[in-house]
């Protein structure tokens, strides 16, 4: 079955760029109907949807983060990535990648999740 | 953005009890409402999508209902493994948004 695994630095300095990659195994990122998502969870808090990408490269972002976020896909490596620029302590969170089945803008839930990776923004 | 409000924020109940968690959207989301279960230190797990459809492997004691703006998740007979935090999420309009969570604890 499809599995997702996040990777990237666990510590990022303020004002720098947070970069994470999600590797998809057990299936193809180019499978139609799936959107590849990033979600974060601040310490002890709820969930925040960051955005997602279709294998074609179409991206959809949360307007609250849109000016700082880029999500990209590498179909050859079966990976998708998150870049969040100009980070502050408020970006400290657990970052998850996930797969959403849907038909933009409607979705049917995120059925596969990575284990999550903790990113701390600190000097 | 569509605001999702869950109630209660926390709930204490004994094994075997029937519990209901509610989720209200700030505008109609028709049936695009999903429920997740999250245990400490783990990723959320999709339980129910599109209001009432079971994700594969989810026990039948979980049931979702509702439409428009008001939705419920009912657990018919609590089991020890059900104690967790539950989130609703709308997938009707970007940005997708989650409720604040309902923490279900053992009484």
């Amino acid at each position: 079955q499809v599995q997702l695994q996040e990777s990237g630095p666990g510590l990022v300095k303020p004002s720098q760029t947070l970069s994470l990659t999600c590797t998809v195994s057990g299936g193809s990122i180019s499978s139609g109907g799936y959107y590849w998502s990033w979600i974060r969870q601040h310490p002890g808090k709820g969930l925040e949807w960051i955005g997602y990408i279709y294998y074609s490269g179409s991206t959809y972002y949360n307007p609250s983060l849109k000016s700082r976020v880029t999500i990209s896909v590498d179909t050859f490596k079966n990976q998708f990535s998150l870049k969040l620029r100009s980070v502050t302590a408020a970006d400290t969170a657990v970052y998850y990648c996930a797969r959403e089945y849907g038909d933009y803008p409607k979705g049917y839930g995120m059925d596969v999740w990575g284990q999550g990776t903790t990113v701390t923004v600190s000097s | 953005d569509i605001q999702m409000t869950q109630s209660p924020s926390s709930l204490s109940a004994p094994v075997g009890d029937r519990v209901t968690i509610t989720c209200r959207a700030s505008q109609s989301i028709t049936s695009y409402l999903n429920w997740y279960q999250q245990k400490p230190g783990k990723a959320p797990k999709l339980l129910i999508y599109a209001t009432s459809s079971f994700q594969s492997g989810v026990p039948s004691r979980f049931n979702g209902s509702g439409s428009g703006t008001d939705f419920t998740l009912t657990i018919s007979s609590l089991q020890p493994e059900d104690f967790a935090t539950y989130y609703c999420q709308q997938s009707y309009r970007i940005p997708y948004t989650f409720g604040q969570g309902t923490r279900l604890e053992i009484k």
Side-chain angles (χ1 to χ4, degrees):
Chain A
Q1 70 279 21
V2 174
Q3 293 183 307
L4 306 181
Q5 177 68 57
E6 305 91 349
S7 59
L11 181 64
V12 181
K13 289 183 167 49
S15 80
Q16 294 193 341
T17 297
L18 178 162
S19 296
L20 297 174
T21 295
C22 184
T23 300
V24 180
S25 60
S28 173
I29 202 169
S30 301
S31 298
Y34 291 106
Y35 292 76
W36 303 93
S37 309
W38 288 98
I39 304 96
R40 69 180 181 179
Q41 187 168 33
H42 294 103
K45 302 294 185 182
L47 299 158
E48 180 181 27
W49 183 83
I50 297 171
Y52 61 29
I53 190 166
Y54 198 58
Y55 75 92
S56 62
S58 297
T59 51
Y60 307 91
Y61 300 131
N62 191 322
S64 69
L65 295 168
K66 188 174 183 177
S67 64
R68 298 194 292 132
V69 170
T70 300
I71 298 176
S72 58
V73 65
D74 185 331
T75 55
F76 296 104
K77 292 184 177 179
N78 227 29
Q79 295 176 333
F80 63 107
S81 298
L82 169 71
K83 289 190 185 300
L84 181 64
R85 297 175 290 278
S86 304
V87 297
T88 69
D91 295 308
T92 294
V94 176
Y95 286 76
Y96 296 100
C97 59
R99 183 183 79 169
E100 168 104 29
Y101 181 71
D103 184 11
Y104 176 80
K106 308 294 195 287
Y108 297 96
M110 287 169 272
D111 65 338
V112 181
W113 292 66
Q115 65 186 27
T117 187
T118 299
V119 178
T120 301
V121 179
S122 175
S123 55
Chain B
D1 297 3
I2 298 174
Q3 304 303 315
M4 306 300 294
T5 304
Q6 286 180 236
S7 62
S9 296
S10 63
L11 176 59
S12 180
V15 172
D17 244 26
R18 176 187 178 95
V19 298
T20 297
I21 299 169
T22 65
C23 180
R24 174 164 288 177
S26 59
Q27 63 187 86
S28 177
I29 56 172
T30 63
S31 63
Y32 289 92
L33 190 283
N34 312 306
W35 290 97
Y36 298 85
Q37 176 193 67
Q38 186 179 34
K39 295 183 178 179
K42 300 295 187 181
K45 173 186 174 183
L46 180 64
L47 296 177
I48 290 174
Y49 64 95
T51 298
S52 58
S53 295
F54 292 99
Q55 181 63 7
S56 176
V58 173
S60 58
R61 61 181 180 274
F62 290 91
N63 184 62
S65 64
S67 67
T69 60
D70 295 311
F71 302 86
T72 60
L73 173 69
T74 300
I75 310 172
S76 59
S77 178
L78 277 173
Q79 298 302 301
E81 61 268 28
D82 299 338
F83 293 94
T85 299
Y86 293 83
Y87 294 94
C88 62
Q89 178 233 350
Q90 65 83 15
S91 53
Y92 178 77
R93 178 175 295 162
I94 301 293
Y96 295 160
T97 47
F98 294 84
Q100 80 279 17
T102 294
R103 184 175 179 181
L104 179 53
E105 298 176 323
I106 300 175
K107 189 172 187 178

